[in-house]
């Protein structure tokens, strides 16, 4: 473990920021579909519709705000033009009871309109058979009609609608085709907005960040109908969440390039991203570090909603990727990731991000937050190995600073000549500054 003392004059930094944030303290935080601006808004992917109320109880208890779930066309339209919403009515009601919001993915195809084809499984690479993605004009029209009917049926429930899932890989059968996907997305978006002008639509939900595919999508004119551009920033296990920042900048630049004049803010949405704790993946402790750092890094860059893949392990095989992505085990026992995300949501509930405090080490992340009562909190971690940081400042009653580690445990503060010393590590921790402390 290396020991680096980083001298940091926090008072000076906060004084500089007072010009920008003091007027905001008297105002209510600005809200939008994704919650409150510059506050953590976290969610998880799920793989169920009916029942599973114990799962939903745990999701809500962790402070998560969204679930993301496939809204499966062929399970709803079993006869042409006849829609059975009952399963999703149940899920939506169960979410609403717990204060959870839904991001529903409008997918996949329907054997009533398209034939079976061969394609490769996007996870295993094995040849499989499944219904071709909508490509016939009749199928595209039917998909758009179904999507619009869904938006109309659920219009009072503030659903976020996502157009397909990872169309740049073989979830689009028999093989990816951005032109055909663009045609489907355009038809669906137009129909949804006609049915519910206040609807929220995002896409293209790409696997990783394939810039040519995304640019083709955005340049097609569809951005006129979008309320967010969704991506899945998966990357190699050796690359931590902090490495996604450059990718976000590139996507944001494309949005700025193709957004029509006068179009309201269109954010990047991280609608699926996770790291597996499978045998060839990460340890469960590192997975816990990454689930929190992914949320914080995304929020720092202005991404208002981040969905972790997955809510729970899909099985019990230690070497299976899908069986180890969860925050809890297959039988709902909390993994370290669950404790970490719950701690983050508890600690930062009601706190708005102010800025990143720059240090001498670019791998150190020290984020300043403030709540509506003008109380300040620092969240700190490193993407390197653990070391000491000395926060050198005239903080009143520094002994009353409360440090909570990423597992929810209270730590002892160390004072060194009126400075605050913390042991920064890979799992973020939370430093509550004394009541009454304000920048001067």
């Amino acid at each position: 473990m290396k020991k680096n003392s980083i001298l940091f004059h926090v008072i000076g930094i906060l004084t500089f920021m007072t010009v920008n944030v003091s007027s905001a303290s008297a105002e209510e935080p600005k809200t939008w579909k994704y919650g409150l601006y510059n506050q953590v808004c976290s969610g998880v992917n799920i793989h169920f519709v009916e029942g599973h109320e114990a799962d939903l109880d745990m999701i809500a208890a962790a402070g998560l705000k969204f679930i993301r779930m496939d809204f499966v066309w062929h399970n709803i339209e079993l006869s042409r033009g006849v829609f059975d919403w009952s399963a999703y009515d149940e899920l939506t009601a169960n979410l609403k009871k717990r204060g959870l919001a839904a991001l529903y993915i409008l997918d996949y195809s329907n054997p009533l309109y398209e034939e079976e084809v061969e394609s490769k499984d996007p996870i295993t690479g094995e040849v499989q058979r499944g219904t071709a993605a909508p490509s016939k004009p009749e199928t595209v029209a039917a998909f758009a009609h179904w999507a619009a009917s869904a938006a109309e049926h659920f219009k009072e429930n503030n659903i976020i609608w996502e157009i397909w899932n990872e169309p740049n890989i073989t979830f689009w059968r028999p093989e990816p085709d951005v032109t055909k996907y663009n045609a489907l997305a355009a038809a669906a978006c137009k129909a949804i907005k006609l049915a519910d002008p206040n609807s929220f639509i995002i896409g293209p939900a790409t696997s990783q960040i394939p810039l040519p595919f995304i640019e083709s999508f955005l340049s097609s004119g569809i951005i006129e109908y979008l309320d967010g551009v969704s991506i899945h920033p998966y990357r190699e296990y050796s690359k931590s969440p902090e490495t996604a920042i450059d990718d976000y900048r590139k996507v944001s630049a494309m949005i700025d390039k193709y957004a029509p004049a006068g179009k309201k803010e269109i954010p990047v949405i991280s609608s699926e991203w996770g790291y597996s704790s499978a045998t060839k993946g990460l340890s469960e402790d590192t997975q816990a570090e990454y689930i929190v750092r992914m949320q914080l890094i995304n929020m720092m860059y202005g991404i208002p909603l981040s969905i972790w893949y997955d809510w729970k392990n899909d099985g019990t095989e230690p070497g299976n990727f899908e069986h180890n992505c969860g925050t809890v085990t297959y039988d709902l026992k909390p993994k370290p990731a669950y404790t970490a995300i719950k701690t983050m949501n508890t600690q930062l509930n009601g706190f708005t991000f102010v800025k990143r405090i720059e240090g001498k080490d670019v791998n150190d992340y020290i984020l300043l937050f403030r709540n509506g009562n003008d109380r300040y909190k620092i969240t700190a971690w490193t993407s390197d190995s653990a070391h000491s940081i000395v926060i050198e400042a005239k903080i009143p009653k520094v002994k009353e600073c409360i440090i909570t580690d990423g597992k929810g445990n209270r730590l002892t503060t160390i004072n060194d000549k009126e400075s605050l010393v913390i042991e920064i590590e890979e799992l973020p921790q939370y430093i509550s500054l004394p009541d009454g402390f304000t920048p001067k």
Side-chain angles (χ1 to χ4, degrees), residues 35-107:
L36 297 175
Y37 274 86
N38 292 324
Q39 291 194 12
V40 170
C41 185
S42 54
V44 286
N45 282 266
I46 62 173
H47 297 301
F48 57 83
V49 180
E50 297 170 297
H52 290 269
E53 294 201 45
D55 294 73
L56 296 177
D57 286 342
M58 288 187 71
I59 290 171
L64 296 159
K65 296 177 181 176
F66 273 85
I67 63 90
R68 178 177 182 261
M69 174 60 194
D70 295 294
F71 195 84
V72 183
W73 183 19
H74 70 259
N75 288 343
I76 296 169
E77 186 175 354
L78 301 175
S79 301
R80 289 193 175 212
V82 180
F83 308 123
D84 179 4
W85 311 113
S86 58
Y88 290 94
D89 283 337
E90 178 179 330
L91 175 58
T92 305
N94 284 336
L95 295 173
K96 194 170 184 178
K97 283 192 300 184
R98 295 164 174 84
L100 297 169
L103 191 166
Y104 286 150
I105 317 161
L106 294 165
D107 59 16

Side-chain angles (χ1 to χ4, degrees), residues 366-392:
I366 306 169
L367 309 188
L368 179 68
F369 291 81
R370 187 192 60 199
N371 70 7
N373 296 321
D374 281 337
R375 293 177 178 172
Y376 289 84
K377 185 170 289 193
I378 290 171
T379 300
W381 77 94
T382 181
S383 59
D384 202 347
S385 56
H387 56 273
S388 294
I389 286 182
V390 178
I391 300 179
E392 188 180 69

Side-chain angles (χ1 to χ4, degrees), residues 198-409:
N198 295 317
S199 60
F200 258 64
I201 307 174
I202 64 175
T206 54
S207 174
Q208 301 183 318
I209 306 179
L211 294 175
F213 189 101
I214 295 169
E215 183 157 27
S216 176
F217 174 71
L218 296 177
S219 65
S220 70
I222 197 169
I223 197 167
E224 176 183 350
Y225 304 97
L226 294 181
D227 301 284
V229 175
S230 59
I231 53 177
H232 301 169
Y234 287 106
R235 55 206 53 240
E236 297 173 2
Y237 288 116
S238 61
K239 295 182 178 180
S240 69
E242 293 83 6
T243 62
I245 292 177
D246 286 342
D247 294 323
Y248 293 149
R249 290 194 181 104
K250 292 173 184 176
V251 176
S252 293
M254 284 186 186
I255 294 173
D256 292 342
K257 178 180 179 180
Y258 293 109
K263 177 71 175 178
K264 62 184 184 302
E265 183 179 5
I266 305 172
V268 175
I269 303 298
S270 177
S271 66
E272 181 185 322
W273 183 14
Y275 293 81
S276 177
S277 60
T279 305
K280 295 183 179 180
L282 303 175
S283 70
E284 288 190 353
D285 286 339
T286 302
Q287 185 187 49
E289 295 162 5
Y290 283 10
I291 190 174
V292 176
R293 286 159 53 182
M294 178 262 277
Q295 295 286 337
L296 294 171
I297 279 293
N298 285 356
M299 179 217 58
M300 187 182 83
Y301 192 67
I303 293 173
L305 174 61
S306 299
I307 305 290
W308 175 265
Y309 189 89
D310 199 359
W311 156 238
K312 72 178 180 182
N313 290 353
D314 289 339
T316 59
E317 297 177 14
N320 186 299
F321 175 88
E322 293 284 339
H323 289 192
N324 294 277
C325 290
T327 67
V328 296
T329 63
Y330 187 66
D331 57 354
L332 298 184
K333 290 183 173 62
K335 295 167 62 177
Y338 181 84
T339 301
I341 196 73
K342 182 176 182 179
T343 299
M344 181 200 72
N345 285 327
T346 300
Q347 287 294 317
L348 297 181
N349 182 37
F351 279 83
T352 299
F353 173 61
V354 177
K355 70 167 292 183
R356 178 184 181 185
I357 302 173
E358 299 294 340
K360 293 181 179 179
D361 190 336
V362 295
N363 296 314
D364 290 345
Y365 293 81
I366 306 169
L367 309 188
L368 179 68
F369 291 81
R370 187 192 60 199
N371 70 7
N373 296 321
D374 281 337
R375 293 177 178 172
Y376 289 84
K377 185 170 289 193
I378 290 171
T379 300
W381 77 94
T382 181
S383 59
D384 202 347
S385 56
H387 56 273
S388 294
I389 286 182
V390 178
I391 300 179
E392 188 180 69
K394 300 287 185 180
I395 300 177
K397 300 179 182 179
V398 70
K399 293 180 181 178
E400 296 184 6
C401 289
I402 298 172
I403 302 180
T404 304
D405 71 12
K407 300 176 183 178
N409 302 312

Side-chain angles (χ1 to χ4, degrees), residues 168-189:
N168 62 306
I169 60 175
T170 52
F171 284 115
W172 188 274
R173 294 178 176 135
E175 60 185 6
D177 188 319
V178 67
T179 301
K180 290 181 179 179
Y181 170 71
N182 289 347
L184 180 75
C189 286

